[in-house]
Every structure is written in C-alpha cells, then in structure tokens.
Amino acid sequence: MSTDALAEFDNKLLDGLEFCARTYALFERIRADEDGKSRLRTRVTEVEKKLLEELLPICKYIQSSYRVGRYISVRWVRGSQQFDAEVLQMGAYVQNGYFPAASYLEVTCVMHPNDYLMRELLDKEGAAFGLNGIRRLPDRTIDSKPIACLNRDFIVEYSKLVLKQLGKKAGIPYPDETTLVVQCTLDRLYFSDEWDEMVSNVRSNMPANGFREIFMYDLVQERICVL
C-alpha cells in the first residue's frame, strides 16, 4: 500500500472521533488485502508502521479522554518534529482549567527486543515460544525454544524496559503540555495484579521528566494507567 494512505491524516485537523474512525477504516482496508495480515505483523512499510505505532495509540488516548465537556481535535504530523500530534480541546472541562486548550502527543512503544523476531516467526511458521527463547541463527532462520521463568521476574524485566524508554524520552526537550502515550506490548499475558505490580514498579522508579502526563496502556488487554 502506498504511503499516500497516510495523506488523509498528515497535518489534517480532525475531530478526535473522526480521527479514530478513519484510523480503524485504514486498518481494516489493510487487513482485507490478500497479504494484509502479513504486512500488519511485519510492518514492512511506513503505512503499517505509522498505523500501528502512532495512529492507533493516539486513538486509544482519544477514546479514553473524549467525553461530554471535553471535546478533542487532533492533528497528526508525519515528520521529524518533536511530537507526533497536536491536540486542541474545548468544552466545560477546558474552560474551567482542568485540561489545556492546546497540547501535544508523543507516542512511544515498549516491547521486548525480540518482539520483531516473534512477529516474523509467527508470520512464517504460525507459532513460537516465548520471547526470551527466540534468536536469529547464522543462516537467518529463527530458532524458538521454551524458556522457564521464576516467580514474577518477568514483571521486573518488563518494568526495566519501560523505565529505559522513559529515560530516553525524558532527555528530549518536548513542547510544554506534552502527553507521552506509552503503548506496552507485554512479553506475555498479565493478570490484573501483575499489571498493577508492573505499573507500581515504573511509578516508583520513574525518571524526572517534563511531560504533562504519561498515558500507559496494555496493547492486548487494554488496561490503562496515567502516571
């Protein structure tokens, strides 16, 4: 699919709900193509990458925030500027100072370093073991072996990945009133208490930063927290 598929979003100010509708329509168009599911797994072009790593996370933020008295418009911008989208808000909540009339969104995705190998293996073979047991062999094939984990060590390890990414973002001078949207691709399914423990670990060790808020969510089960 041509990168022109992103033109309907690029630098266009859209009502937040329309933005979501257009994004979901793009996802379904790609998914309906003969090779669409494979492209969504491997993210081989800018369209799939921007869709999955910027547009859809922005949709998650909008749908969690848009409400009576808080009406959100968004302008996604493709480029190297230090934000992914501009946000304009209006309504009673904004008039009474609960939310800024103008702000920005920056999106980041936190995933295991082997996540791309997992997606490639799933696309080619249809199955894989856990992320820690995957590696690229010298012949470019992917080896996947089951690896046991002890107790709740996986929570600590994923917390470190989140904190490392937050540390990188904290060192960048973003505009005032920027919200960081953190899409968490967890290394396995988490129970609610495991998600809460991971969030607590991140909250307790979070680096100093200038973000207005950090909006973090689980990609699969869609749990949400605001730090």
Side-chain angles (χ1 to χ4, degrees):
M1 182 173 287
S2 167
T3 54
D4 287 342
L6 297 172
E8 66 175 305
F9 301 96
D10 189 19
N11 208 26
K12 304 289 196 308
L13 183 64
L14 301 170
D15 175 79
L17 300 184
E18 180 183 356
F19 179 90
C20 294
R22 290 191 184 194
T23 299
Y24 299 151
L26 174 58
F27 179 91
E28 294 299 341
R29 289 200 303 271
I30 296 174
R31 185 174 179 273
D33 286 346
E34 183 177 353
D35 63 341
K37 293 179 183 178
S38 176
R39 298 205 317 269
L40 289 169
R41 291 192 193 101
T42 56
R43 308 177 190 183
V44 292
T45 76
E46 182 190 25
V47 174
E48 291 80 32
K49 188 172 179 63
K50 294 292 188 183
L51 171 64
L52 293 166
E53 299 180 10
E54 292 186 20
L55 300 182
L56 283 171
I58 291 171
C59 287
K60 186 62 180 177
Y61 175 80
I62 291 171
Q63 288 191 280
S64 297
S65 306
Y66 199 115
R67 62 179 66 96
V68 173
R70 187 184 181 188
Y71 307 107
I72 302 172
S73 295
V74 62
R75 187 197 311 273
W76 176 74
V77 183
R78 176 172 54 188
S80 58
Q81 71 289 330
Q82 290 180 326
F83 58 87
D84 291 316
E86 299 177 67
V87 172
L88 299 181
Q89 301 184 97
M90 59 183 298
Y93 282 109
V94 179
Q95 293 167 4
N96 286 283
Y98 290 100
F99 303 103
S103 57
Y104 300 88
L105 296 177
E106 171 68 4
V107 180
T108 192
C109 300
V110 179
M111 60 192 70
H112 192 284
N114 289 340
D115 185 77
Y116 76 102
L117 293 175
M118 168 77 82
R119 289 186 278 107
E120 182 180 335
L121 189 57
L122 289 174
D123 190 57
K124 292 179 177 178
E125 304 293 338
F129 290 111
L131 287 160
N132 285 330
I134 294 178
R135 61 177 180 142
R136 177 87 69 184
L137 298 176
D139 63 0
R140 305 302 296 167
T141 60
I142 301 173
D143 181 46
S144 177
K145 295 180 179 178
I147 300 292
C149 64
L150 298 175
N151 301 319
R152 299 162 82 91
D153 289 349
F154 64 94
I155 298 173
V156 174
E157 292 305 311
Y158 192 80
S159 301
K160 291 178 181 178
L161 293 178
V162 176
L163 289 166
K164 180 179 180 181
Q165 190 64 13
L166 291 182
K168 290 180 180 178
K169 292 295 183 179
I172 298 173
Y174 290 102
D176 292 340
E177 302 291 357
T178 295
T179 290
L180 180 65
V181 178
V182 182
Q183 177 182 271
C184 294
T185 303
L186 300 175
D187 45 358
R188 68 197 68 214
L189 290 176
Y190 278 40
F191 290 111
S192 294
D193 63 314
E194 294 168 341
W195 166 260
D196 292 342
E197 183 176 335
M198 189 274 289
V199 171
S200 178
N201 287 348
V202 172
R203 194 189 302 274
S204 299
N205 297 283
M206 191 164 57
N209 63 83
F211 293 113
R212 182 181 183 277
E213 61 182 356
I214 296 176
F215 176 90
M216 189 163 72
Y217 74 99
D218 163 12
L219 178 62
V220 175
Q221 296 176 293
E222 298 195 329
R223 299 184 182 92
I224 295 169
C225 72
V226 178
L227 304 176

